PDB file of all heavy atoms in Angstrom:
ATOM      1  N   GLN A1012     211.598  59.982 109.341  1.00 27.00           N
ATOM      2  CA  GLN A1012     211.048  61.170 110.052  1.00 27.00           C
ATOM      3  C   GLN A1012     211.810  62.415 109.659  1.00 27.00           C
ATOM      4  O   GLN A1012     213.011  62.474 109.800  1.00 27.00           O
ATOM      5  CB  GLN A1012     211.295  60.963 111.511  1.00 27.00           C
ATOM      6  CG  GLN A1012     209.960  60.650 112.200  1.00 27.00           C
ATOM      7  CD  GLN A1012     210.179  60.781 113.657  1.00 27.00           C
ATOM      8  OE1 GLN A1012     211.090  61.347 114.183  1.00 27.00           O
ATOM      9  NE2 GLN A1012     209.294  60.087 114.353  1.00 27.00           N
ATOM     10  N   VAL A1037     195.341  57.909 113.794  1.00 95.00           N
ATOM     11  CA  VAL A1037     194.223  57.049 114.243  1.00 95.00           C
ATOM     12  C   VAL A1037     193.912  57.375 115.726  1.00 95.00           C
ATOM     13  O   VAL A1037     194.829  57.275 116.564  1.00 95.00           O
ATOM     14  CB  VAL A1037     194.517  55.555 114.055  1.00 95.00           C
ATOM     15  CG1 VAL A1037     193.442  54.707 114.571  1.00 95.00           C
ATOM     16  CG2 VAL A1037     194.830  55.308 112.554  1.00 95.00           C
ATOM     17  N   GLY A1070     207.680  56.399 120.602  1.00 89.00           N
ATOM     18  CA  GLY A1070     206.962  55.937 119.438  1.00 89.00           C
ATOM     19  C   GLY A1070     205.457  55.938 119.557  1.00 89.00           C
ATOM     20  O   GLY A1070     204.785  55.160 118.898  1.00 89.00           O
ATOM     21  N   LYS A1073     204.070  61.523 119.435  1.00 96.00           N
ATOM     22  CA  LYS A1073     204.284  62.939 119.794  1.00 96.00           C
ATOM     23  C   LYS A1073     204.664  63.746 118.597  1.00 96.00           C
ATOM     24  O   LYS A1073     204.102  64.805 118.304  1.00 96.00           O
ATOM     25  CB  LYS A1073     205.361  63.021 120.895  1.00 96.00           C
ATOM     26  CG  LYS A1073     205.043  62.273 122.142  1.00 96.00           C
ATOM     27  CD  LYS A1073     206.118  62.412 123.206  1.00 96.00           C
ATOM     28  CE  LYS A1073     207.417  61.758 122.879  1.00 96.00           C
ATOM     29  NZ  LYS A1073     207.338  60.263 122.879  1.00 96.00           N
ATOM     30  N   THR A1074     205.668  63.223 117.884  1.00 94.00           N
ATOM     31  CA  THR A1074     206.178  63.990 116.735  1.00 94.00           C
ATOM     32  C   THR A1074     205.069  64.094 115.665  1.00 94.00           C
ATOM     33  O   THR A1074     204.917  65.129 115.054  1.00 94.00           O
ATOM     34  CB  THR A1074     207.420  63.239 116.143  1.00 94.00           C
ATOM     35  OG1 THR A1074     208.375  63.198 117.180  1.00 94.00           O
ATOM     36  CG2 THR A1074     207.939  63.949 114.960  1.00 94.00           C
ATOM     37  N   HIS A1075     204.333  63.038 115.498  1.00 95.00           N
ATOM     38  CA  HIS A1075     203.215  63.074 114.522  1.00 95.00           C
ATOM     39  C   HIS A1075     202.251  64.167 114.903  1.00 95.00           C
ATOM     40  O   HIS A1075     201.886  64.975 114.027  1.00 95.00           O
ATOM     41  CB  HIS A1075     202.539  61.644 114.571  1.00 95.00           C
ATOM     42  CG  HIS A1075     201.527  61.521 113.465  1.00 95.00           C
ATOM     43  ND1 HIS A1075     201.477  60.354 112.732  1.00 95.00           N
ATOM     44  CD2 HIS A1075     200.552  62.263 113.059  1.00 95.00           C
ATOM     45  CE1 HIS A1075     200.495  60.499 111.836  1.00 95.00           C
ATOM     46  NE2 HIS A1075     199.876  61.637 112.020  1.00 95.00           N
ATOM     47  N   LYS A1203     197.314  52.005 107.873  1.00 90.00           N
ATOM     48  CA  LYS A1203     198.673  52.123 107.296  1.00 90.00           C
ATOM     49  C   LYS A1203     198.815  51.151 106.096  1.00 90.00           C
ATOM     50  O   LYS A1203     199.397  51.518 105.103  1.00 90.00           O
ATOM     51  CB  LYS A1203     199.735  51.850 108.301  1.00 90.00           C
ATOM     52  CG  LYS A1203     199.691  52.851 109.457  1.00 90.00           C
ATOM     53  CD  LYS A1203     201.036  53.443 109.766  1.00 90.00           C
ATOM     54  CE  LYS A1203     200.891  54.414 110.904  1.00 90.00           C
ATOM     55  NZ  LYS A1203     201.261  55.771 110.674  1.00 90.00           N
ATOM     56  N   ARG A1228     205.572  52.912 116.507  1.00 87.00           N
ATOM     57  CA  ARG A1228     206.607  52.955 115.488  1.00 87.00           C
ATOM     58  C   ARG A1228     207.024  51.471 115.156  1.00 87.00           C
ATOM     59  O   ARG A1228     207.298  51.156 113.999  1.00 87.00           O
ATOM     60  CB  ARG A1228     207.858  53.681 116.012  1.00 87.00           C
ATOM     61  CG  ARG A1228     208.936  53.745 114.928  1.00 87.00           C
ATOM     62  CD  ARG A1228     210.125  54.565 115.345  1.00 87.00           C
ATOM     63  NE  ARG A1228     209.779  55.925 115.581  1.00 87.00           N
ATOM     64  CZ  ARG A1228     209.894  56.520 116.754  1.00 87.00           C
ATOM     65  NH1 ARG A1228     210.417  55.875 117.762  1.00 87.00           N
ATOM     66  NH2 ARG A1228     209.567  57.818 116.895  1.00 87.00           N
ATOM     67  N   GLU A1231     204.421  49.938 112.962  1.00 89.00           N
ATOM     68  CA  GLU A1231     204.587  50.462 111.606  1.00 89.00           C
ATOM     69  C   GLU A1231     205.812  49.831 110.934  1.00 89.00           C
ATOM     70  O   GLU A1231     205.776  49.420 109.798  1.00 89.00           O
ATOM     71  CB  GLU A1231     204.791  51.954 111.732  1.00 89.00           C
ATOM     72  CG  GLU A1231     204.543  52.738 110.478  1.00 89.00           C
ATOM     73  CD  GLU A1231     204.598  54.218 110.810  1.00 89.00           C
ATOM     74  OE1 GLU A1231     205.660  54.713 111.214  1.00 89.00           O
ATOM     75  OE2 GLU A1231     203.597  54.886 110.622  1.00 89.00           O
TER      76      GLU A1231
HETATM   77  N1  ATP B2175     197.596  57.246 116.422  1.00 75.16           N
HETATM   78  C1  ATP B2175     198.405  57.088 115.356  1.00 75.16           C
HETATM   79  N2  ATP B2175     197.909  56.870 114.117  1.00 75.16           N
HETATM   80  C2  ATP B2175     198.733  56.634 113.111  1.00 75.16           C
HETATM   81  N3  ATP B2175     200.048  56.614 113.182  1.00 75.16           N
HETATM   82  C3  ATP B2175     200.608  56.820 114.381  1.00 75.16           C
HETATM   83  C4  ATP B2175     199.843  57.058 115.530  1.00 75.16           C
HETATM   84  N4  ATP B2175     200.651  57.256 116.561  1.00 75.16           N
HETATM   85  C5  ATP B2175     201.865  57.130 116.089  1.00 75.16           C
HETATM   86  N5  ATP B2175     201.913  56.832 114.798  1.00 75.16           N
HETATM   87  C6  ATP B2175     203.051  56.628 113.923  1.00 75.16           C
HETATM   88  O1  ATP B2175     204.034  55.944 114.680  1.00 75.16           O
HETATM   89  C7  ATP B2175     205.301  56.439 114.331  1.00 75.16           C
HETATM   90  C8  ATP B2175     206.009  56.911 115.593  1.00 75.16           C
HETATM   91  O2  ATP B2175     205.362  58.125 115.996  1.00 75.16           O
HETATM   92  P1  ATP B2175     206.164  59.413 116.496  1.00 75.16           P
HETATM   93  O3  ATP B2175     207.479  59.504 115.773  1.00 75.16           O
HETATM   94  O4  ATP B2175     205.229  60.585 116.377  1.00 75.16           O
HETATM   95  O5  ATP B2175     206.445  59.024 117.991  1.00 75.16           O
HETATM   96  P2  ATP B2175     207.148  59.812 119.164  1.00 75.16           P
HETATM   97  O6  ATP B2175     206.215  59.735 120.298  1.00 75.16           O
HETATM   98  O7  ATP B2175     207.500  61.203 118.674  1.00 75.16           O
HETATM   99  O8  ATP B2175     208.441  58.978 119.405  1.00 75.16           O
HETATM  100  P3  ATP B2175     209.837  59.398 120.088  1.00 75.16           P
HETATM  101  O9  ATP B2175     209.617  59.387 121.555  1.00 75.16           O
HETATM  102  O10 ATP B2175     210.745  58.301 119.664  1.00 75.16           O
HETATM  103  O11 ATP B2175     210.246  60.738 119.574  1.00 75.16           O
HETATM  104  C9  ATP B2175     205.145  57.531 113.321  1.00 75.16           C
HETATM  105  O12 ATP B2175     205.376  57.005 112.047  1.00 75.16           O
HETATM  106  C10 ATP B2175     203.677  57.918 113.450  1.00 75.16           C
HETATM  107  O13 ATP B2175     203.093  58.317 112.235  1.00 75.16           O
END
Side-chain angles (χ1 to χ4, degrees):
Q1012 252 191 23
V1037 177
K1073 300 182 290 293
T1074 300
H1075 189 133
K1203 299 228 180 240
R1228 183 175 299 118
E1231 199 173 61

